[in-house]
Structures are given as C-alpha cells and as structure tokens.
C-alpha cells in the first residue's frame, strides 16, 4: 500500500486543495492531510478547527486521514513511516518556493520525495489568503471552498 502525506497550512482548506487530494489518490492508496501547527504564523483558524473542517469534508473516507503536525516535516514523515509528500503547483510563481523546500527536505532526509500535481485551470487562481481577504470584505467565495468551510467563514466574517 502506497501512503503519502499532504502537508500544508490549509487556513482555510479550498477547492484547490480538495482537487489535489482527490487526484493524488489516483496515484497513492492512502493520504494523510497534515495541518501545520505553526505558532509563528498569524492564522485565521486554529489548527484543530482546520482539522475538524477537513474531516467533515472527507467524512466516511477510509483512504484519507487528517491530523496536525508540528516541527520538521521530515521528522513527521519518519514518525509516519513514509517518505512521500504531495504538493500542488498553481503557477510558475509557486515553483521557486517549492523547489527550495524540496531541496532542503531532501538534504534533511535523503529518501524524501515530493509528487507535484498541477492545479486545474479552474483552481489555479484560488489561494487561502485571497479567499480570506475576499470573504472578510463580503465577497462571494462559495465556489472556491467546500460548503463547511464556506459556512465557517461566513460565521466569522458576518459577525
Ligand atoms: O500550505 P503551506 O503554508 O504552503 O505549507 C507549507 C508547509 C507546511 C508544507 C511547510 O511550511 C512545512 O513543511 N513546514 C514544516 C517545517 C519544516 O519542515 N520546514 C523545513 C522545510 S520548509
């Protein structure tokens, strides 16, 4: 059984992330969506809330687990007994960062591998930070995030 980890901030989880999850499962048998607990970054949603929302999106799916992680990704991978990571690429602008992260992780763990999936054109403009900004200003982002995430953002910003 091929297992992989899809790490990220997912603040919030978008339809772009959703598409990467579904397509990665055409390549691997089981995916763990790993939400980074990052104390230095200012996030909208608590990591546990992000996990709760993503679990709701994939309720009943045995091929998907959702959990938090902290510290180095390579240490988390060792703990999970895998070396394979999934990442999405939207545009050339994502490449430099992803390349640098891959090189660093590969330096830290020689067996480290990343499977990069290109975002579909309809998702290539979606980013968590833009979704938050538009939602905070009252714009409609209902077609860019799963229903549960949409409801959560409305609850936060419609107060
Ligand atoms: O969704 P993001 O914010 O682009 O995800 C970035 C993430 C979580 C994959 C990356 O920041 C990460 O793996 N952080 C864990 C700390 C770490 O291992 N850093 C060294 C490689 S950058």
């Amino acid at each position: 059984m091929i297992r992989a980890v899809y790490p990220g901030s997912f603040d919030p989880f978008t339809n772009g992330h959703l598409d990467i999850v579904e397509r990665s499962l055409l390549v691997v048998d089981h995916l763990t969506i790993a939400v980074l607990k990052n104390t230095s970054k200012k996030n909208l949603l608590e990591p546990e809330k992000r996990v709760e929302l993503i679990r709701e999106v994939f309720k009943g799916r045995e091929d998907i687990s959702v959990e938090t992680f902290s510290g180095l990704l390579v240490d988390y991978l060792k703990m999970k007994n895998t070396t394979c990571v999934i990442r999405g690429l939207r545009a050339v602008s994502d490449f430099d960062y992803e390349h640098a992260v891959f090189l660093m992780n590969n330096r830290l763990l020689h067996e480290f591998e990343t499977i990069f999936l290109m975002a579909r054109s309809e998702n290539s403009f979606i980013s968590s930070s833009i979704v938050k900004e538009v939602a905070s200003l009252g714009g409609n982002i209902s077609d860019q995030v799963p229903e549960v995430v949409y409801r959560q953002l409305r609850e936060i910003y419609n107060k």
Side-chain angles (χ1 to χ4, degrees):
M1 184 187 235
I2 304 175
R3 293 175 170 273
V5 167
Y6 181 26
S9 303
F10 305 116
D11 185 46
F13 191 82
T14 68
N15 286 343
H17 297 130
L18 180 63
D19 184 50
I20 296 295
V21 169
E22 295 295 8
R23 286 165 54 210
S24 71
L25 284 161
L26 300 174
V27 182
V28 302
D29 303 304
H30 185 276
L31 190 69
T32 300
I33 302 172
V35 176
L36 178 67
K37 271 185 162 179
N38 185 346
T39 44
S40 63
K41 211 166 156 184
K42 178 90 192 72
N43 290 303
L44 175 70
L45 302 167
E46 291 300 321
E48 291 71 20
K49 175 52 83 178
R50 284 177 258 156
V51 166
E52 183 188 314
L53 292 171
I54 301 169
R55 281 192 182 142
E56 182 66 23
V57 171
F58 296 109
K59 201 162 58 182
R61 292 283 294 267
E62 292 191 352
D63 51 351
I64 297 170
S65 316
V66 190
E67 51 190 55
T68 58
F69 82 104
S70 53
L72 282 177
L73 177 61
V74 291
D75 289 336
Y76 175 72
L77 293 177
K78 284 181 207 161
M79 197 261 290
K80 300 294 291 180
N81 217 7
T82 183
T83 53
C84 182
V85 156
I86 303 287
R87 291 285 288 171
L89 282 178
R90 286 165 301 190
V92 180
S93 50
D94 284 341
F95 178 81
D96 282 348
Y97 171 73
E98 294 295 338
H99 188 212
V101 170
F102 169 78
L103 292 176
M104 175 54 82
N105 283 325
N106 188 246
R107 177 70 53 109
L108 295 169
L109 177 66
H110 187 67
E111 300 79 17
F112 179 90
E113 284 298 349
T114 303
I115 298 174
F116 290 103
L117 296 178
M118 299 299 300
R120 289 183 200 278
S121 60
E122 62 267 34
N123 295 329
S124 61
F125 72 101
I126 302 178
S127 88
S128 295
S129 45
I130 294 176
V131 159
K132 279 182 283 193
E133 178 168 341
V134 172
S136 73
L137 297 170
N140 183 5
I141 43 87
S142 59
D143 59 342
Q144 292 159 49
V145 293
E147 173 70 23
V148 276
V149 174
Y150 177 65
R151 275 192 263 121
Q152 180 67 52
L153 293 182
R154 279 193 57 168
E155 203 179 305
I156 292 170
Y157 291 121
N158 285 1
K159 272 183 188 157

PDB file of all heavy atoms in Angstrom, residues 55-64:
ATOM      1  N   ARG A  55     -11.911  17.113   8.104  1.00  0.00           N
ATOM      2  CA  ARG A  55     -12.508  15.788   8.404  1.00  0.00           C
ATOM      3  C   ARG A  55     -13.960  15.749   7.954  1.00  0.00           C
ATOM      4  O   ARG A  55     -14.450  14.742   7.440  1.00  0.00           O
ATOM      5  CB  ARG A  55     -12.420  15.491   9.902  1.00  0.00           C
ATOM      6  CG  ARG A  55     -11.048  15.014  10.295  1.00  0.00           C
ATOM      7  CD  ARG A  55     -11.024  14.448  11.703  1.00  0.00           C
ATOM      8  NE  ARG A  55      -9.666  14.045  12.033  1.00  0.00           N
ATOM      9  CZ  ARG A  55      -9.094  14.184  13.205  1.00  0.00           C
ATOM     10  NH1 ARG A  55      -9.777  14.699  14.215  1.00  0.00           N
ATOM     11  NH2 ARG A  55      -7.864  13.792  13.404  1.00  0.00           N
ATOM     12  N   GLU A  56     -14.645  16.854   8.149  1.00  0.00           N
ATOM     13  CA  GLU A  56     -16.060  16.937   7.749  1.00  0.00           C
ATOM     14  C   GLU A  56     -16.182  16.801   6.223  1.00  0.00           C
ATOM     15  O   GLU A  56     -17.076  16.113   5.723  1.00  0.00           O
ATOM     16  CB  GLU A  56     -16.608  18.292   8.228  1.00  0.00           C
ATOM     17  CG  GLU A  56     -18.068  18.558   7.964  1.00  0.00           C
ATOM     18  CD  GLU A  56     -19.014  17.635   8.726  1.00  0.00           C
ATOM     19  OE1 GLU A  56     -18.601  17.088   9.764  1.00  0.00           O
ATOM     20  OE2 GLU A  56     -20.156  17.465   8.241  1.00  0.00           O
ATOM     21  N   VAL A  57     -15.253  17.438   5.500  1.00  0.00           N
ATOM     22  CA  VAL A  57     -15.269  17.366   4.033  1.00  0.00           C
ATOM     23  C   VAL A  57     -15.135  15.910   3.572  1.00  0.00           C
ATOM     24  O   VAL A  57     -15.792  15.487   2.623  1.00  0.00           O
ATOM     25  CB  VAL A  57     -14.118  18.227   3.427  1.00  0.00           C
ATOM     26  CG1 VAL A  57     -13.992  17.996   1.926  1.00  0.00           C
ATOM     27  CG2 VAL A  57     -14.331  19.709   3.731  1.00  0.00           C
ATOM     28  N   PHE A  58     -14.262  15.144   4.261  1.00  0.00           N
ATOM     29  CA  PHE A  58     -13.964  13.775   3.811  1.00  0.00           C
ATOM     30  C   PHE A  58     -14.587  12.714   4.728  1.00  0.00           C
ATOM     31  O   PHE A  58     -14.065  11.599   4.821  1.00  0.00           O
ATOM     32  CB  PHE A  58     -12.445  13.578   3.710  1.00  0.00           C
ATOM     33  CG  PHE A  58     -11.812  14.471   2.676  1.00  0.00           C
ATOM     34  CD1 PHE A  58     -11.012  15.543   3.059  1.00  0.00           C
ATOM     35  CD2 PHE A  58     -12.046  14.257   1.328  1.00  0.00           C
ATOM     36  CE1 PHE A  58     -10.444  16.374   2.108  1.00  0.00           C
ATOM     37  CE2 PHE A  58     -11.483  15.093   0.369  1.00  0.00           C
ATOM     38  CZ  PHE A  58     -10.676  16.152   0.761  1.00  0.00           C
ATOM     39  N   LYS A  59     -15.687  13.076   5.368  1.00  0.00           N
ATOM     40  CA  LYS A  59     -16.367  12.165   6.296  1.00  0.00           C
ATOM     41  C   LYS A  59     -16.640  10.808   5.630  1.00  0.00           C
ATOM     42  O   LYS A  59     -17.134  10.761   4.505  1.00  0.00           O
ATOM     43  CB  LYS A  59     -17.681  12.807   6.743  1.00  0.00           C
ATOM     44  CG  LYS A  59     -18.233  12.280   8.017  1.00  0.00           C
ATOM     45  CD  LYS A  59     -19.259  13.210   8.631  1.00  0.00           C
ATOM     46  CE  LYS A  59     -20.410  13.462   7.678  1.00  0.00           C
ATOM     47  NZ  LYS A  59     -21.406  14.394   8.200  1.00  0.00           N
ATOM     48  N   GLY A  60     -16.276   9.730   6.328  1.00  0.00           N
ATOM     49  CA  GLY A  60     -16.572   8.391   5.809  1.00  0.00           C
ATOM     50  C   GLY A  60     -15.518   7.837   4.868  1.00  0.00           C
ATOM     51  O   GLY A  60     -15.629   6.692   4.420  1.00  0.00           O
ATOM     52  N   ARG A  61     -14.497   8.611   4.576  1.00  0.00           N
ATOM     53  CA  ARG A  61     -13.457   8.162   3.643  1.00  0.00           C
ATOM     54  C   ARG A  61     -12.351   7.415   4.393  1.00  0.00           C
ATOM     55  O   ARG A  61     -11.678   7.997   5.256  1.00  0.00           O
ATOM     56  CB  ARG A  61     -12.860   9.364   2.914  1.00  0.00           C
ATOM     57  CG  ARG A  61     -13.816  10.043   1.954  1.00  0.00           C
ATOM     58  CD  ARG A  61     -13.956   9.258   0.667  1.00  0.00           C
ATOM     59  NE  ARG A  61     -12.710   9.234  -0.072  1.00  0.00           N
ATOM     60  CZ  ARG A  61     -12.401  10.113  -1.020  1.00  0.00           C
ATOM     61  NH1 ARG A  61     -13.234  11.069  -1.360  1.00  0.00           N
ATOM     62  NH2 ARG A  61     -11.243  10.013  -1.662  1.00  0.00           N
ATOM     63  N   GLU A  62     -12.154   6.164   4.062  1.00  0.00           N
ATOM     64  CA  GLU A  62     -11.114   5.375   4.748  1.00  0.00           C
ATOM     65  C   GLU A  62      -9.734   5.593   4.141  1.00  0.00           C
ATOM     66  O   GLU A  62      -8.729   5.201   4.733  1.00  0.00           O
ATOM     67  CB  GLU A  62     -11.490   3.902   4.721  1.00  0.00           C
ATOM     68  CG  GLU A  62     -12.707   3.645   5.583  1.00  0.00           C
ATOM     69  CD  GLU A  62     -12.990   2.191   5.821  1.00  0.00           C
ATOM     70  OE1 GLU A  62     -12.332   1.345   5.192  1.00  0.00           O
ATOM     71  OE2 GLU A  62     -13.877   1.920   6.640  1.00  0.00           O
ATOM     72  N   ASP A  63      -9.693   6.189   2.945  1.00  0.00           N
ATOM     73  CA  ASP A  63      -8.395   6.411   2.280  1.00  0.00           C
ATOM     74  C   ASP A  63      -7.779   7.762   2.661  1.00  0.00           C
ATOM     75  O   ASP A  63      -6.727   8.123   2.144  1.00  0.00           O
ATOM     76  CB  ASP A  63      -8.534   6.287   0.750  1.00  0.00           C
ATOM     77  CG  ASP A  63      -9.661   7.145   0.176  1.00  0.00           C
ATOM     78  OD1 ASP A  63     -10.452   7.705   0.971  1.00  0.00           O
ATOM     79  OD2 ASP A  63      -9.744   7.260  -1.049  1.00  0.00           O
ATOM     80  N   ILE A  64      -8.452   8.486   3.573  1.00  0.00           N
ATOM     81  CA  ILE A  64      -7.953   9.812   3.960  1.00  0.00           C
ATOM     82  C   ILE A  64      -7.959   9.957   5.478  1.00  0.00           C
ATOM     83  O   ILE A  64      -8.963   9.648   6.129  1.00  0.00           O
ATOM     84  CB  ILE A  64      -8.838  10.932   3.342  1.00  0.00           C
ATOM     85  CG1 ILE A  64      -8.775  10.879   1.812  1.00  0.00           C
ATOM     86  CG2 ILE A  64      -8.414  12.312   3.847  1.00  0.00           C
ATOM     87  CD1 ILE A  64      -9.785  11.763   1.122  1.00  0.00           C
TER      88      ILE A  64
END
